[in-house]
Amino acid sequence: MAGAGQRKGKKDDNGIGTAIDFVLANARLVLGVGGAAMLGIATLAVKRMYDRAISAPSSPTRMSQSGKRSWEEPNWLGSSSRLLTQDMKTSLSRSLQTLPTDPSPADTDIFRPTKPKPSAKRSQVELKKSRLRLSLQEKLFAYYRRRVAIPADEQARAKQAAVDICAELRSFLRAKLPDMPLRDMYLSGSLYDDLQVVTADHIQLIVPLMLEQNLWSCIPGEDTIMNIPGFYLVRRENPEYFPRGSSYWDRCVVGGYLSPKTVADTFEKVVAGSINWPAIGSLLDYVIRPAAPPADLTLEVQYDADRHLFIDFLPSLTLGDIVLVAKPHRLAQNDNLWRLSLRPAETARLRALDQGDAGCRCLCLKIFKAVCKLNPALGHLTASQLTNVILHLSQEETDWSQDMLADRFLQALKGLIRYLEAGVLPSALNPKVNLFSELTPEEVDELGYTLYSSLSEPEVLLQT
């Protein structure tokens, strides 16, 4: 009977053990790692209580060969429920070996402790960034002194050459074409705004046309079939009351609209074909000649042995508060459009911001302009585009002190890359105008790649 009782107890023990192993093996699928672990601990306690109940009351404690207590020793019953003995850890480990070993992300987050970042390492990283920023700051100022800034005497000589030629051209036009309705010509451009970089080599001569306000009107480019904000059509109005020939500029009308290309061609015939520039040049002690194609309405002036100045003749017109210039769209099919003149207002705002807080916006712009001028891969970026990047950044950042030049330079670089990635650079003065509209997708990709490649080491941009 005793043997039968022992066999029966053994059989029951094996049945419960098998059930426990089955429950543990499948608990992970239902409860997750956390639930399975708690179920394993609870099941282990029940199993030991059962073992103790069926064993003899006087059964001595058995020791394993390694000297540790066996499964039958309930040595954990009087200890804290939050602590696991070595035996329990080992037994629980054996029980969980049958569970899947691929934890879910949620379970991983529960059991993986968060490693705090040492404050010492954080301070070292910040110190390294500070040193790199100071190093870039020094390199930017050195680059400005070495490559960007133009000597004052060179600027003065270039301006004087432009003034002399402007006076000669004004006198010639008044004598040769007295009936051409023009306002006074004036010089404009980055050379006069102290924003020209590297060399004093170009300037614009603005030639304002006088238009009858009742005979002409402006049509925004976005209201046309071409849908190009920032450009305008100039339409001839009231032809039934004022027939063709009532305005001097009717000779430049194409398809009912004043053609900037035809206007430019009219001036080109005068500038390149009617004026004896060699004679004027010898009188002024300059070498003057029309620039080689494809430059239209441009004079090349050699005012020193190794210094050349290019003067662009730029017809303009004003209707109401809109100022347009005859600078054609890059796409030939849009050559009937006049360009909205935003540069004077953009420059005025930039300089006003710098004067208000003694900032470094103009300095940052001039460094960017020099980088683009000296790097052929960045040659498609214009001064207007770079100016607007700085103006947009000025709306986000208020501290533009000289000490912040490196930070603002990097921010402007990252901002320019973001605009290129989006393919849109809105004008700071007229947000509906996309200043990247004339770039091809290939040009945008090339510009973005070149700038992005320099992001990790911006000093490479200063090596040109």
Side-chain angles (χ1 to χ4, degrees):
M1 290 294 293
Q6 292 175 359
R7 287 193 299 271
K8 182 178 180 182
K10 184 71 173 177
K11 181 178 179 182
D12 293 341
D13 184 25
N14 291 340
I16 291 176
T18 301
I20 290 172
D21 290 340
F22 177 80
V23 169
L24 289 174
N26 292 274
R28 168 67 177 86
L29 301 176
V30 178
L31 303 177
V33 171
M38 296 305 297
L39 179 61
I41 294 171
T43 306
L44 184 60
V46 173
K47 185 175 184 298
R48 286 203 172 187
M49 291 177 64
Y50 176 80
D51 290 341
R52 189 181 184 193
I54 65 174
S55 63
S58 60
S59 175
T61 300
R62 294 187 306 211
M63 303 292 291
S64 64
Q65 294 181 357
S66 61
K68 296 181 180 179
R69 298 180 185 273
S70 70
W71 263 108
E72 294 184 11
E73 175 59 28
N75 56 357
W76 51 272
L77 290 178
S79 62
S80 170
S81 60
R82 295 179 180 272
L83 300 177
L84 292 177
T85 64
Q86 185 64 33
D87 282 339
M88 291 177 65
K89 294 178 182 178
T90 303
S91 301
L92 184 59
S93 175
R94 290 199 197 102
S95 300
L96 296 179
Q97 284 178 357
T98 59
L99 300 181
T101 58
D102 297 333
S104 65
D107 295 332
T108 303
D109 292 339
I110 293 174
F111 286 95
R112 182 177 298 165
T114 302
K115 296 182 180 179
K117 296 181 180 179
S119 58
K121 180 180 291 186
R122 194 160 52 242
S123 62
Q124 289 178 359
V125 172
E126 293 175 355
L127 180 61
K128 184 177 180 181
K129 289 182 178 179
S130 177
R131 289 175 178 172
L132 290 174
R133 186 163 54 249
L134 289 175
S135 174
L136 178 60
Q137 181 100 343
E138 295 170 355
K139 291 179 180 178
L140 287 172
F141 278 112
Y143 181 76
Y144 177 80
R145 292 188 297 268
R146 187 181 74 254
R147 302 301 303 272
V148 181
I150 303 174
D153 63 329
E154 181 180 346
Q155 294 188 57
R157 287 279 291 147
K159 289 179 181 179
Q160 186 58 51
V163 169
D164 293 341
I165 292 175
C166 179
E168 290 294 331
L169 182 61
R170 183 186 297 115
S171 299
F172 177 85
L173 289 177
R174 286 176 179 173
K176 187 75 173 180
L177 302 170
D179 59 335
M180 180 180 284
L182 298 175
R183 292 189 174 92
D184 286 338
M185 294 179 286
Y186 61 93
L187 294 167
S188 179
S190 59
L191 181 59
Y192 266 80
D193 297 324
D194 193 28
L195 290 176
Q196 195 154 127
V197 297
V198 184
T199 58
D201 59 359
H202 63 278
I203 198 169
Q204 292 176 336
L205 177 59
I206 306 298
V207 185
L209 281 59
M210 291 181 62
L211 295 182
E212 300 83 358
Q213 298 292 316
N214 63 323
L215 298 185
W216 308 93
S217 65
C218 293
I219 302 177
E222 60 269 27
D223 295 341
T224 68
I225 192 173
M226 292 169 282
N227 190 24
I228 306 177
F231 290 83
Y232 283 76
L233 286 172
V234 178
R235 183 169 59 191
R236 177 66 157 85
E237 300 288 357
N238 302 318
E240 61 276 13
Y241 301 109
F242 303 95
R244 185 179 179 88
S246 301
S247 173
Y248 178 90
W249 301 108
D250 281 340
R251 66 193 68 188
C252 299
V253 170
V254 176
Y257 298 93
L258 183 62
S259 169
K261 186 176 185 304
T262 306
V263 171
D265 291 342
T266 300
F267 279 99
E268 184 179 10
K269 293 176 182 177
V270 175
V271 173
S274 301
I275 302 178
N276 188 354
W277 289 114
I280 295 176
S282 61
L283 179 65
L284 299 174
D285 198 19
Y286 304 140
V287 177
I288 307 173
R289 56 181 173 268
D296 297 329
L297 276 177
T298 301
L299 284 179
E300 181 182 356
V301 182
Q302 182 179 347
Y303 60 94
D304 274 338
D306 56 348
R307 292 178 180 174
H308 295 254
L309 176 68
F310 292 88
I311 303 178
D312 296 326
F313 291 82
L314 193 59
S316 73
L317 59 90
T318 302
L319 288 173
D321 58 351
I322 299 175
V323 180
L324 306 175
V325 292
K327 187 175 182 180
H329 193 281
R330 288 187 66 193
L331 300 180
Q333 63 266 30
N334 299 324
D335 62 359
N336 216 31
L337 291 170
W338 289 76
R339 185 183 300 268
L340 179 64
S341 178
L342 295 172
R343 196 203 69 81
E346 293 168 351
T347 303
R349 175 175 292 188
L350 190 72
R351 295 180 67 85
L353 289 172
D354 263 2
Q355 291 172 1
D357 58 8
C360 63
R361 298 172 186 81
C362 291
L363 176 61
C364 188
L365 173 62
K366 291 171 76 172
I367 292 174
F368 265 111
K369 288 177 64 175
V371 167
C372 295
K373 185 173 184 176
L374 297 173
N375 190 332
L378 301 175
H380 291 298
L381 288 173
T382 66
S384 178
Q385 293 164 350
L386 299 174
T387 301
N388 278 269
V389 170
I390 303 295
L391 289 175
H392 283 303
L393 185 58
S394 296
Q395 297 176 355
E396 303 170 5
E397 300 292 344
T398 57
D399 186 0
W400 282 85
S401 59
Q402 301 291 321
D403 295 337
M404 299 299 295
L405 175 62
D407 289 326
R408 299 297 171 259
F409 179 84
L410 289 175
Q411 286 179 294
L413 177 61
K414 294 176 182 178
L416 182 55
I417 293 173
R418 288 196 301 270
Y419 291 126
L420 287 167
E421 288 176 344
V424 177
L425 173 58
S427 167
L429 304 182
N430 191 344
K432 63 185 177 182
V433 176
N434 176 18
L435 299 175
F436 286 160
S437 64
E438 296 178 82
L439 292 175
T440 65
E442 293 76 17
E443 291 169 345
V444 171
D445 290 342
E446 181 182 2
L447 291 169
Y449 175 78
T450 302
L451 293 174
Y452 187 81
S453 300
S454 67
L455 197 56
S456 59
E457 191 177 356
E459 291 86 352
V460 299
L461 295 174
L462 311 180
Q463 296 174 1
T464 54

